[in-house]
Amino acid sequence: MNATPVRETDVLVLGGGAAGLSLAHRLAGTGRAGVLVVEPPDGPSRPPVRTWCFWDDGTCGLDGVVSASWPRLRVHGGDGAAHTVDPSPLRYRMLRSTRFEEYVHARLAERPGCGVLRATAGAVRDTPGGAEADCTAPDGSPLTVRARLVFDSRPLTALPPARTRLLQHFRGWFVRTARPRFDPAVADLMDFRVPQPVHGLAFGYVLPLTPDHALVEYTEFSRTPLTTPAYEKALDRYCHDVLGLGAFAVETAEQGVVPMTDARFPVRVGPSVYRIGTAGGATRPSTGYTFAAAQRQSLAVAASLAAGRPRVPAPHGRRALAMDAVMLRALDTGRIDGPAFFTGLFAHTPAERLLRFLDGGTTLREEWSIGLRGPVGPMLRTALELPFLPRRSHPAPRSGDRLP
Ligand SMILES: Cc1cc2nc3c(=O)[nH]c(=O)nc-3n(C[C@H](O)[C@H](O)[C@H](O)COP(=O)(O)OP(=O)(O)OC[C@H]3O[C@@H](n4cnc5c(N)ncnc54)[C@H](O)[C@@H]3O)c2cc1C
């Protein structure tokens, strides 16, 4: 009987999506050798092309792969009032997953012992001095990859138990309009001029690329995703009735489901095995944003490895997670009016401070000043009841992105 071949590497990254690629990129950036990313071959098991957006002050080092950016942000309240803000020195940026992947793969190919292995990872086991993963190559042949450190970004099949689990679920169209309809200097983060669901909230999201080209999304924060026809109907209504786009063509679509939960995601799951990305709790519960947290964590991990003291910090601080748990529960119970809550945040908080708050970078004093302008009574009541609520298991949402 043939023994399974073994490949050795220093750092093994399972899953080459947003978090896995970000970590590999930052490790390569510190000159590290021996970084292997395992990603399934092209086909149905890989997520479709996606856009990842984040805000940044220009120091992220990803400008070469940023496909668009916006100096101003806008939120439309349910009453139609527009709040346009300038978060400088921060700017909202968009990456296309294909471009980011090409870029990181090319950088890894330049480094000794680094690269991407097209394979599907299975079980991960601890070994003396590290860990190993069973992998299956595209031709079905098995391979064991052994490493000193393993970072696992593969989607979880079940979420850790939570008191609240909402989903951020959406579908977006890249539209081409017959006439110029968009202002490429302004990104609409939340447009509440759409009919609100009975439970949770809904909003439009518009990222203009040129005056006649934009990504337009319909998003809900609620318990259950919609069917594709229901998203399409909501999008069509938003494009015609709210945005008044007139004639337009849909070029491509993207769709997703992102967990918004107060579950506790363990980061270290073995002596040398760490979870990263959504699987490791990098998705900010109150917003669904993940990409920026993955950058911060990746930079910290790369710096700690370069200094010879491996350290994988939690992607979000405890205070941020505690505040998000209250907000999610208050939204889920209907105690706060979601559109009014988010519109109020944008209307009353300086934009740069608000975005720093959403990145977990504000001081306690700043957080008090933000919190005191919100619905204090319902939030306080929710905060007091949280410690007594049980945590329940929930299946992980399918990562989304099934497109017809
Ligand atoms: C359509 C969409 C748009 C989004 N937009 C934003 C945004 O604008 N900003 C933001 O901050 N967040 C956004 N998110 C949320 C979040 O950033 C993304 O879901 C992000 O991709 C999460 O990164 P990840 O590395 O955890 O997971 P993924 O990027 O999904 O990466 C997981 C990887 O694991 C691989 N994999 C799966 N199984 C195996 C296996 N057995 N072996 C090896 N590899 C495996 C997959 O192929 C995949 O590449 C979006 C999500 C979606 C779905």
Side-chain angles (χ1 to χ4, degrees):
M1 202 168 87
N2 289 337
T4 301
V6 175
R7 180 166 171 178
E8 308 248 356
T9 185
D10 185 39
V11 176
L12 174 61
V13 180
L14 301 178
L21 289 176
S22 299
L23 179 62
H25 166 59
R26 301 303 181 179
L27 291 172
T30 59
R32 179 155 291 274
V35 177
L36 186 68
V37 177
V38 174
E39 171 67 12
D42 287 335
S45 61
R46 294 228 307 142
V49 175
R50 288 157 291 170
T51 54
W52 290 312
C53 291
F54 60 105
W55 44 82
D56 167 74
D57 61 3
T59 55
C60 65
L62 296 175
D63 279 351
V65 283
V66 165
S67 57
S69 72
W70 297 269
R72 278 178 284 139
L73 302 173
R74 187 166 51 200
V75 168
H76 290 271
D79 59 1
H83 305 275
T84 306
V85 297
D86 174 355
S88 57
L90 303 175
R91 206 178 160 102
Y92 200 55
R93 291 159 208 268
M94 176 208 264
L95 294 177
R96 299 286 283 156
S97 58
T98 35
R99 178 84 187 86
F100 188 49
E101 191 176 83
E102 281 162 17
Y103 172 71
V104 178
H105 286 198
R107 287 206 71 191
L108 290 175
E110 290 164 3
R111 304 263 347 129
C114 294
V116 178
L117 174 70
R118 290 296 186 180
T120 305
V124 177
R125 285 178 299 278
D126 298 327
T127 59
E132 64 184 22
D134 294 334
C135 296
T136 307
D139 65 3
S141 57
L143 171 71
T144 300
V145 184
R146 205 165 280 161
R148 188 169 63 90
L149 290 170
V150 174
F151 294 91
D152 191 351
S153 71
R154 292 171 298 165
L156 299 175
T157 48
L159 294 175
R163 292 167 298 202
T164 313
R165 192 220 58 164
L166 290 175
L167 300 175
Q168 175 175 153
H169 54 97
F170 52 90
R171 184 173 174 86
W173 286 339
F174 280 89
V175 298
R176 179 79 64 180
T177 52
R179 290 170 180 275
R181 300 283 179 192
F182 304 107
D183 175 357
V186 186
D188 282 306
L189 279 196
M190 293 181 129
D191 183 347
F192 291 109
R193 295 173 298 170
V194 295
Q196 292 300 309
V198 178
H199 185 263
L201 57 82
F203 58 89
Y205 174 78
V206 185
L207 299 181
L209 304 168
T210 63
D212 64 352
H213 192 209
L215 171 62
V216 180
E217 290 191 356
Y218 172 83
T219 303
E220 286 192 12
F221 294 178
S222 64
R223 288 185 190 161
T224 322
L226 304 183
T227 60
T228 297
Y231 288 121
E232 298 262 301
K233 193 170 159 198
L235 263 171
D236 197 59
R237 220 159 36 162
Y238 179 56
C239 287
H240 283 112
D241 301 351
V242 179
L243 298 179
L245 295 189
F248 66 86
V250 177
E251 295 183 334
T252 50
E254 71 171 35
Q255 192 163 313
V257 183
V258 179
M260 303 176 79
T261 161
D262 66 353
R264 295 191 188 115
F265 291 83
V267 171
R268 192 171 192 178
V269 291
S272 308
V273 184
Y274 300 87
R275 283 205 193 118
I276 56 170
T278 298
T283 298
R284 180 85 199 246
S286 58
T287 63
Y289 282 105
T290 314
F291 194 82
Q295 302 316 304
R296 288 194 297 273
Q297 190 186 43
S298 300
L299 281 165
V301 171
S304 76
L305 289 189
R309 292 186 302 276
R311 196 179 72 84
V312 184
H316 298 291
R318 285 178 186 210
R319 225 164 55 223
L321 294 180
M323 287 186 290
D324 283 7
V326 175
M327 195 288 278
L328 279 183
R329 172 84 187 161
L331 186 63
D332 194 30
T333 52
R335 274 184 207 136
I336 58 168
D337 173 340
F341 175 80
F342 282 103
T343 309
L345 273 181
F346 271 87
H348 302 307
T349 314
E352 183 272 342
R353 187 185 303 167
L354 178 58
L355 297 190
R356 225 171 358 99
F357 170 66
L358 296 177
D359 274 342
T362 34
T363 62
L364 187 58
R365 194 189 167 106
E366 288 174 319
E367 286 155 20
W368 271 107
S369 84
I370 294 170
L372 288 174
R373 290 179 175 274
V376 175
M379 296 298 252
L380 201 59
R381 183 177 155 207
T382 307
L384 292 174
E385 103 183 344
L386 269 184
F388 304 100
L389 295 174
R391 292 179 180 269
R392 296 205 172 84
S393 298
H394 299 274
R398 284 163 52 119
S399 57
D401 15 351
R402 305 291 139 218
L403 292 176

